[in-house]
């Protein structure tokens, strides 16, 4: 995608479409703000959806997951076959399926496990399926003329039916004649329990219930904290806290960044110090400060060059607060002006912006949040320039006065790949601000941290092009004196704070150049190679060449190329929205346990397509008759 933007200076077509950063996090917040009831799952989402549909007698489940036909729940409707114009789709009939393959609904879970599902991988049951096919062919039942996968389903269904008949099994029992090892038997038992919904006669599920499971770090926090943490998570609030305290795992399953632009650090590393301080607030407040037996959080963060075979074990970093070791309970449940000040200090300390406490109440909360985030980015990413800061702050200031219609009418003469990447970096940072705010007891209203209050991609792109094109500051602020005054005030605060920490902001204008392959009237920014040719690398160098060191398991990992996205084959509490699951070769191989994360794969690389109409334009130019 980034290669395409660099080559053509315009937005790619649908073939390179990818979902925006932070979509799942902020979608919950957006729906809640519109008065919709939102639920976030405590365990596998498929299970909770099927359970909810059964409990509330829903008319159907609209999805794209064959597990929904295995669950004894509401009818399964295909989202892939959905026609919005006619509101029609395909219904997969559970009873008709059972009639066709000769099984009962209670036998479907065993069938799913033997075929391979989210718990039992296809590889582990390969020998069972092979034997089932051989037996199926021997008895002359192989008259099915459809796809081989269908014949396999019929063969395994015949095996399940014969086992049931022999042993008069009850739902949930594992037939002895399968000759499975004890570990495989336990795995199938777990896989079958996965389909047994509340209210059904089933195996004991206590050991599978996320709600009754022990917290990963229950010795570090009070039961009341854990209770509130779960409640907020289910309601779509308290981002990051649930994953840390109850699971000990944080993950981000996609990213939008240019692997070939080595001047900008990977987003996962940019925000790692912020996350470590969030972990410190959640786990270390009120403790004696001893470094012995520090907890470690498992981080599954995707970024260019990370194979995601093992999680990064990240330790919390304590923050310094003015009072004597306040507890997390005080921060979350305390009252009074002193506690309010403590919450704000905690939030600002996570972002290394303690000086901004005087701005609380003096500027809008959304502007304070934007200032904190841009300051953090500048402190962490040495190649962010004065022009980048002007673009960030000017769009945050001007956004308040723009109507949705005005934002839609913002015209962009071309796209800059670097502006796209900086915009993605900012939105990812807003999610981290949400986590810092939640951990600190919410000193800022959550609404102030939403992207629709502090960031618009089209407006930012416009400001980026103007700032790097040498536009006067008054023009950058739309000629509005009040916006100009606020912008200058915020920028002065940022520059002063950065200077105290030894970070001197440099002017590095990245003037765009005409794209040789763009359609007429369109140019690209040259934000990739043009930036390097303009001498940006000589002034600072890429994050690797500068020798920056970050806590990470393998700092020597090399990047690939091409602005790819990655997606893990399992999503946890807050999966970050990513591209569709094109990296999964088969659904049943995903696996659920964290020790199976070696199955993460890179998404396929796309070849660089020509610009829409570019070939036609070239033909016209080369036609001697024209």
């Amino acid at each position: 995608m980034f290669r395409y933007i660099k080559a053509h200076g315009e937005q790619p077509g649908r073939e390179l479409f990818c979902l925006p950063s932070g979509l799942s996090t902020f979608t919950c917040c957006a729906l809640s703000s519109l008065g919709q009831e939102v639920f976030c799952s405590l365990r596998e989402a498929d299970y909770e959806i099927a359970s909810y549909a059964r409990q509330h007698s829903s008319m159907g489940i609209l999805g794209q997951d064959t597990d929904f036909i295995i669950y004894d729940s509401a009818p399964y409707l295909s989202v892939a076959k959905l026609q919005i114009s006619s509101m029609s789709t395909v219904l997969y009939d559970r009873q008709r399926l059972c009639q066709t393959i000769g099984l009962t609904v209670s036998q479907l879970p065993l069938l799913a496990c033997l075929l391979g599902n989210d718990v039992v991988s296809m590889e582990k049951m390969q020998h069972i399926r092979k034997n089932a096919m051989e037996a199926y062919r021997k008895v002359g039942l192989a008259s099915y003329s459809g796809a081989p996968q269908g014949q396999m389903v019929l063969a395994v269904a015949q095996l399940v039916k014969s086992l049931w008949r022999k042993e008069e099994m009850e739902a949930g029992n594992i037939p002895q004649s399968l000759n499975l090892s004890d570990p495989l038997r336990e795995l199938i038992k777990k896989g079958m329990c996965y389909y047994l919904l509340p209210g059904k006669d089933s195996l004991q599920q206590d050991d599978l219930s996320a709600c009754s499971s022990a917290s990963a770090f229950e010795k570090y926090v009070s039961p009341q904290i854990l209770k509130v943490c779960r409640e907020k998570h289910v309601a779509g609030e308290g981002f990051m806290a649930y994953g840390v305290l109850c699971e000990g795992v944080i993950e981000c399953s996609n990213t939008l960044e240019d692997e070939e632009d080595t001047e900008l650090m990977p987003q996962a590393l940019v925000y790692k110090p912020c996350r470590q301080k969030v972990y410190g607030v959640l786990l270390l407040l009120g403790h004696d400060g001893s470094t012995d037996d520090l907890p470690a959080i498992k981080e599954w963060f995707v970024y260019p060059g990370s194979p995601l075979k093992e999680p990064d074990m990240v330790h919390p970093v304590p923050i310094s607060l003015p009072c004597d070791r306040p507890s997390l309970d005080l921060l979350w449940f305390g009252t009074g002006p002193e506690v309010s000040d403590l919450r704000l200090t905690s939030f600002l300390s996570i972002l290394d912006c303690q000086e901004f406490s005087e701005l609380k109440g003096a500027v809008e909360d959304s502007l304070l949040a934007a200032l904190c985030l841009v300051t953090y980015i500048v402190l962490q990413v040495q190649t962010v320039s004065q022009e980048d800061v002007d673009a960030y702050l000017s769009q945050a200031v001007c956004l308040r006065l723009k109507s949705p219609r005005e934002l839609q009418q913002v015209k962009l003469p071309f796209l800059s790949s670097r502006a796209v990447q900086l915009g993605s970096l900012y939105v990812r940072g807003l999610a981290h601000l949400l986590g810092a705010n939640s951990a600190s007891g919410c000193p800022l209203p959550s609404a102030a941290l939403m992207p629709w209050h502090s960031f618009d991609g089209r407006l930012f792109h416009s400001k980026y092009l103007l700032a790097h094109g040498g536009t006067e500051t008054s023009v950058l602020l739309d000629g509005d004196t009040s916006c100009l005054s606020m912008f200058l005030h915020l920028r002065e605060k940022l520059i002063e704070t950065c200077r105290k920490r030894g970070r001197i902001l440099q002017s590095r204008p990245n003037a765009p150049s005409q794209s040789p392959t763009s359609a007429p009237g369109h140019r690209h920014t040259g934000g990739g190679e043009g930036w390097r040719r303009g001498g940006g690398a000589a002034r600072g160098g890429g994050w690797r060449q500068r020798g920056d060191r970050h806590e990470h398991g393998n700092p020597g990992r090399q990047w690939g190329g091409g602005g790819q996205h990655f997606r893990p084959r399992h999503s946890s509490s807050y999966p970050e929205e990513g591209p569709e699951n094109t990296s999964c070769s088969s659904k049943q191989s995903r696996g659920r346990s964290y020790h199976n994360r070696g199955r993460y794969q890179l998404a396929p690389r796309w070849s660089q397509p020509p610009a829409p109409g570019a070939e036609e334009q070239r033909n016209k130019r080369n036609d001697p008759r024209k």
Side-chain angles (χ1 to χ4, degrees), residues 308-325:
L308 288 179
K309 292 181 179 179
E310 296 292 337
D312 293 329
M313 304 303 294
V314 179
H315 291 283
V317 172
I319 64 171
S320 178
L321 293 178
C323 56
D324 185 25
R325 293 203 301 270

Side-chain angles (χ1 to χ4, degrees), residues 35 91 160 193 214 219 228 231 295 338 386 399 443 470 474 485 520 526 544 571 579 610 616:
L91 183 149
V160 171
C193 285
K219 70 177 183 177
V228 171
E231 290 172 353
E338 296 85 359
Q386 176 78 59
L399 179 62
S474 59
S485 176
R544 292 190 185 281
S571 293
E616 181 182 349

Side-chain angles (χ1 to χ4, degrees), residues 322-458:
C323 56
D324 185 25
R325 293 203 301 270
S327 67
L328 188 61
D329 293 75
L330 175 65
L331 208 59
W332 281 24
F333 309 130
T335 57
E338 296 85 359
V339 176
S340 297
D341 292 342
L342 194 63
R343 289 173 181 145
L344 181 61
T345 301
S346 172
F347 173 77
L348 296 176
S349 297
I350 290 173
L351 300 166
D352 201 10
C353 297
Q354 296 90 321
E355 294 89 340
F356 296 162
S357 59
E358 62 187 42
L359 296 177
K360 182 70 169 75
V363 301
E364 296 175 25
D365 288 331
S366 60
L367 286 182
L368 176 58
L371 177 63
C372 290
L373 179 53
V374 177
T375 302
Y376 179 87
I377 291 173
V378 172
L379 291 173
Q380 295 297 322
V381 186
Q382 297 298 309
T383 52
V384 168
S385 67
Q386 176 78 59
E387 290 75 18
D388 299 331
V389 169
D390 289 351
Y392 275 139
L393 293 181
S394 62
Q395 75 85 32
V397 170
C398 292
L399 179 62
R400 306 167 302 151
L401 307 180
K402 301 286 186 183
S403 67
R405 185 179 184 85
E406 288 175 313
L407 292 173
Q408 291 174 356
Q409 293 174 344
V410 173
K411 302 298 182 184
L412 298 174
F414 45 81
L415 295 187
S416 161
S417 64
R418 191 168 183 276
V420 172
Q421 186 162 342
L422 288 175
S424 176
L425 177 67
Y426 187 94
V427 175
R428 184 70 71 197
L430 286 175
H432 283 76
L433 255 64
L434 203 59
N437 193 55
S438 174
S440 301
C442 299
L444 299 182
S446 296
L449 306 177
M450 297 299 112
W452 48 89
H453 284 306
S454 68
F455 186 81
D456 179 83
R458 183 179 291 270

Side-chain angles (χ1 to χ4, degrees), residues 169-182:
M169 290 172 42
E170 296 180 358
N173 289 338
I174 312 299
Q176 294 294 328
S177 54
L178 275 178
N179 296 322
L180 296 172
S181 63
D182 289 342

Side-chain angles (χ1 to χ4, degrees), residues 154-190:
L154 291 173
V156 177
Q158 180 65 28
L159 171 64
V160 171
K161 185 164 58 174
S162 66
L163 294 173
W164 223 274
R165 189 166 51 241
K166 282 180 188 176
E167 305 185 20
E168 298 182 353
M169 290 172 42
E170 296 180 358
N173 289 338
I174 312 299
Q176 294 294 328
S177 54
L178 275 178
N179 296 322
L180 296 172
S181 63
D182 289 342
L184 285 181
R185 188 173 297 277
E186 285 301 313
L187 186 62
I188 288 187
K189 180 179 178 180
K190 182 179 179 181

